[in-house]
Amino acid sequence: MGKFLMLKEKMIEMAYPLSEVVSHLENNPNLTSEMFEILYSKYTAFASLDILLQHSKLTDEWFLKILKDYLQSPKWLASNPHLTRFQIDTLLTVDWRGYGSNVTEYEYDVRTELAKHATLNEAQYKQIYDYGLSAGGGATLRYLAQNPNLTARQITQLAGIMSMKKILQMRLAQFSKLTDEMFTRFLPLYPIELSKNEQLTPVQIEAIY
């Protein structure tokens, strides 16, 4: 915390506007709990809380406080890729009726953002997968196919949904960590998408070019 304060003061002395300093800090995923508290509590005039919620590694204490006191738009919190298992479970089981009248919208926003960004265990993945297959699931499965943290089993399951075969496979080819077997299957079908995949192995990259 001391180093953070000294850094902030030094930057101010260098004539950086405080708003600019805070705008850089709010995007930092490595803030300590003390640093987060300073930004959250004292600089809301400059800091975008939405951005802060999207990037910070939150303690469970802070997560629950924000969920209780602030959460006007839960999708920003659900889009945070650093959520813990407890935090993801909490978002999936919250009774959104206590947050306003947009219960269906909140439920959809949370599940689509978790589908895209979160590191899901099998139970959490199944809950989002089943929701995606439901009548109100909308684009949830498309977002799930963009998740870079899927397991080989989950990738195979999504790739096998015949009603959305092409769109899901294209996204899996671009975003997923693929086994060599799945990579070989996708290569003649989606070479452009594979060329954008940042998780390919050196051997897979060589096979494309």
Side-chain angles (χ1 to χ4, degrees):
M1 180 174 173
K3 291 182 179 179
F4 168 73
L5 291 173
M6 286 187 289
L7 174 62
K8 176 167 65 65
E9 291 168 359
K10 182 177 180 181
M11 294 179 75
I12 293 172
E13 290 173 359
M14 294 171 62
Y16 284 97
L18 181 57
S19 58
E20 184 176 338
V21 175
V22 173
S23 70
H24 287 290
L25 290 170
E26 68 190 6
N27 287 281
N28 189 329
N30 300 310
L31 298 177
T32 66
S33 181
E34 290 85 356
M35 294 172 183
F36 178 86
E37 183 175 0
I38 290 171
L39 287 175
Y40 184 84
S41 303
K42 297 184 178 181
Y43 295 107
T44 53
F46 302 108
S48 167
L49 290 181
D50 290 344
I51 295 176
L52 196 58
L53 298 184
Q54 281 181 284
H55 295 280
S56 300
K57 293 178 182 177
L58 303 170
T59 63
D60 290 342
E61 181 181 3
W62 267 110
F63 172 85
L64 292 173
K65 175 178 174 58
I66 292 165
L67 193 61
K68 177 183 178 182
D69 296 342
Y70 166 70
L71 204 55
Q72 300 171 0
S73 182
K75 69 179 182 180
W76 301 114
L77 191 54
S79 67
N80 187 324
H82 307 295
L83 296 179
T84 66
R85 177 176 178 176
F86 166 78
Q87 293 164 359
I88 295 169
D89 280 339
T90 300
L91 286 172
L92 287 172
T93 56
V94 164
D95 184 352
W96 296 111
R97 288 175 295 183
Y99 291 85
S101 58
N102 299 322
V103 176
T104 302
E105 180 181 343
Y106 284 172
E107 184 178 61
Y108 178 77
D109 284 347
V110 165
R111 280 161 174 73
T112 53
E113 292 300 326
L114 289 175
K116 192 192 307 184
H117 299 287
T119 300
L120 305 167
N121 62 29
E122 282 296 331
Q124 293 162 348
Y125 166 84
K126 185 178 186 307
Q127 190 170 344
I128 291 175
Y129 177 86
D130 290 344
Y131 176 80
L133 291 177
S134 70
T140 305
L141 292 180
R142 297 183 187 183
Y143 288 120
L144 190 58
Q146 291 180 220
N147 190 314
N149 306 305
L150 298 177
T151 66
R153 188 200 70 78
Q154 294 164 355
I155 293 169
T156 300
Q157 184 179 44
L158 287 169
I161 299 176
M162 299 308 296
S163 62
M164 302 176 67
K165 181 179 179 179
K166 184 174 181 179
I167 186 63
L168 293 183
Q169 289 188 0
M170 287 176 67
R171 296 192 180 199
L172 290 169
Q174 183 172 343
F175 295 100
S176 295
K177 187 175 182 178
L178 302 170
T179 63
D180 289 338
E181 180 181 359
M182 188 62 72
F183 171 83
T184 301
R185 175 182 169 186
F186 285 162
L187 184 56
L189 301 172
Y190 314 112
I192 295 176
E193 287 73 20
L194 284 172
S195 69
K196 301 175 183 178
N197 190 326
E198 297 180 354
Q199 301 204 82
L200 297 183
T201 67
V203 173
Q204 292 170 346
I205 294 173
E206 186 176 351
I208 295 176
Y209 300 101

